[in-house]
Amino acid sequence: QVQLVESGGGLVQAGGSLRLACVASRSIYGINVMGWYRQTPAKQRELVAVASSGGNTNYGDSVKGRFTLSRDNRKNTVYLQMNSLKPEDTSVYYCNLAGVVSGSRNVEVWGQGTPVTVSS
């Protein structure tokens, strides 16, 4: 089964930094899109950062200049470096992946979410 493992969330003071990691299971043989979303107060999932297989990276307007996404294809891992954190960044962050498994079957999977809390 396809599985994503998230880590790096926690409690941090405003202005601090956190680094999130999302590791895909070995059953993923090719990644098309991999990135991070977060839950808004309205219970919607908001784009944070996403990278495509073509090398393009898109960031949400609220995090541009503060967050940086990187991708390690060898490890099937995506990282989110979060700097200059603000209390409004407090949320549950979710990893998302769309890729290919054995048999050339396309799949999409979400992680369970990792909470990030930024204190004033």
Side-chain angles (χ1 to χ4, degrees), residues 10-116:
L11 175 64
V12 66
Q13 191 174 8
S17 299
L18 286 173
R19 185 187 183 217
L20 306 183
C22 176
V23 183
S25 66
R26 295 179 180 179
S27 62
I28 299 293
Y29 293 97
I31 298 173
N32 295 323
V33 179
M34 194 169 185
W36 292 91
Y37 294 75
R38 66 189 183 188
Q39 186 172 293
T40 70
K43 308 296 184 180
Q44 302 291 326
R45 286 189 176 180
E46 175 188 27
L47 171 68
V48 177
V50 62
S52 69
S53 60
N56 295 322
T57 302
N58 296 316
Y59 294 92
D61 290 338
S62 63
V63 307
K64 288 180 179 177
R66 299 188 297 118
F67 292 7
T68 302
L69 185 145
S70 61
R71 180 174 170 177
D72 188 338
N73 290 332
R74 293 181 180 179
K75 299 179 179 179
N76 280 358
T77 301
V78 65
Y79 304 92
L80 184 68
Q81 179 67 46
M82 305 187 295
N83 298 326
S84 301
L85 284 163
K86 305 175 181 179
E88 48 263 45
D89 294 319
T90 296
S91 183
V92 178
Y93 285 70
Y94 297 89
C95 184
N96 174 256
L97 179 149
V100 180
V101 298
S102 180
S104 299
R105 185 167 67 90
N106 294 321
V107 298
E108 183 178 7
V109 63
W110 290 86
Q112 293 298 308
T114 183
V116 172

